[in-house]
Each structure stands twice: as C-alpha cells, then as structure tokens.
Amino acid sequence: MSRIGRLPIPVPSGVDITVEGTTVTVKGPKGTLSHVVVEPIGVNREEGQLVVTRPDDERRSRSLHGLTRSLVSNMVTGVTAGYSKTLEIVGVGYRVQAKGSDLEFALGYSHPVPVKAPEGIRFEVQTPTRFVVHGIDKQLVGEVSAKIRGLRKPDPYKGKGVRYQSEVVRRKVGKTGK
C-alpha cells in the first residue's frame, strides 16, 4: 500500500468538499478548486475526512494513488492557507515594481520586462529587490515563479539574477589572469 496514498486527508471546518463522479471540488475561505480524478482511483468522504482508495495493485493504480491523494490534499491546504513563494533579485540596477496587479522588472535589458498576473495569482512587492507570488493553486504558484525566475536566471559567475529566497547559487571560478 502506498504510504502517502493511504493517509486520510483531514477536512478543516469551513471547507466544503463535494465528490461528484470523478470530480472533486473543494470550496474554502480563499476560493474554489476542482480536480478530475483519474479512472481507477476513488475518493470517498468518511467522518470529516477524505479517503483515497485504489481497486487493485496494478502498477498504474499504485502510481496514481499517492499522486491523487497529494493533489487533493494540496487543494484543501490551498483554499484554507494558500501558497506563496518569495523571490529575490540580485544585481546592480536590477529591481521590480508593481504596476497595478502586474509587475515590471528592470533586469539589465534595454527595456523593462512586464509580467501580467494570471487568474488566481496575486503579487506583493516587499522591497525593490524582493517580491512574493501568492495563490491558492500550488502548481500555478510554482509555474509563475519559475517563469519569472527564467527571465534572468542566477548567473553562476557573478550570482546576479532572479532567485528563490532560500536558493543557494553554486558559484564558479572565472578565468585566471596570466
């Protein structure tokens, strides 16, 4: 049995979960998320918690068991607490500023780089070199953060660029002079 898949998902108060066929919808104080469960996996509600079950021990069923449980658990956490990622900008002249709900970056290019906030994502600029991506969908928060980091990845020689707050950039030694 999958160690992750067999754990029940606790449902906190204020969270409404509906299971209709293969669709699981989670509604909480921060919003609503839904997920379509893949065919052999089942989701049942029992005594204030959700239980993810699988019909057999085939390889596909085993691999989807833990995945489905994690996805549904992330939805419950997202609508109650939400997710956030903090990013930092390192480099002389590199900065970010808020333009309404969007961001505008100065990353050493000849032009400013605008980033629009997708549906369900909110940006918060703490300082000109630090900002936070907030949202209820864990996958979307990670994807938006990765796209922003990809605008100017951390340079291994000087360490300049956009990085996650706790990210450690492995530095390389440059050329040595004669």
Side-chain angles (χ1 to χ4, degrees):
M1 210 49 188
S2 169
R3 279 181 263 179
I4 293 173
R6 70 173 176 228
L7 295 174
I9 303 167
V11 179
S13 60
V15 175
D16 181 39
I17 297 179
T18 57
V19 180
E20 296 175 356
T22 59
T23 304
V24 177
T25 305
V26 181
K27 186 181 285 187
K30 292 198 177 257
T32 304
L33 292 172
S34 65
H35 174 68
V36 177
V37 179
V38 185
E39 185 49 46
I41 305 298
V43 179
N44 305 319
R45 186 164 189 159
E46 298 175 2
E47 301 153 14
Q49 56 189 11
L50 287 176
V51 178
V52 179
T53 58
R54 68 175 190 231
D56 50 30
D57 281 343
E58 289 184 14
R59 183 178 182 92
R60 185 167 190 271
S61 298
R62 287 195 324 247
S63 65
L64 291 172
H65 190 201
L67 171 70
T68 303
R69 191 259 177 214
S70 293
L71 292 175
V72 174
S73 176
N74 288 343
M75 289 182 353
V76 172
T77 304
V79 297
T80 55
Y83 289 100
S84 65
K85 283 203 180 224
T86 305
L87 286 92
E88 295 176 336
I89 302 173
V90 178
V92 177
Y94 289 12
R95 67 185 186 286
V96 62
Q97 59 186 15
K99 294 279 187 182
S101 63
D102 302 333
L103 296 178
E104 188 174 88
F105 291 91
L107 296 173
Y109 297 118
S110 61
H111 56 281
V113 181
V115 174
K116 294 202 180 300
E119 183 79 24
I121 294 293
R122 183 175 55 86
F123 296 122
E124 174 191 347
V125 177
Q126 296 175 339
T127 65
T129 59
R130 179 179 290 144
F131 63 98
V132 184
V133 180
H134 294 286
I136 61 172
D137 188 357
K138 186 176 186 178
Q139 186 269 333
L140 187 60
V141 169
E143 182 181 342
V144 170
S145 300
K147 284 184 179 178
I148 291 174
R149 182 181 177 273
L151 295 174
R152 179 71 90 173
K153 289 185 181 173
D155 179 34
Y157 296 102
K158 294 187 178 181
K160 295 165 47 167
V162 181
R163 63 176 79 165
Y164 300 113
Q165 185 175 24
S166 60
E167 182 179 4
V168 177
V169 177
R170 290 190 56 201
R171 301 291 296 269
K172 291 182 178 179
V173 191
K175 294 181 181 177
T176 57
K178 289 192 175 183

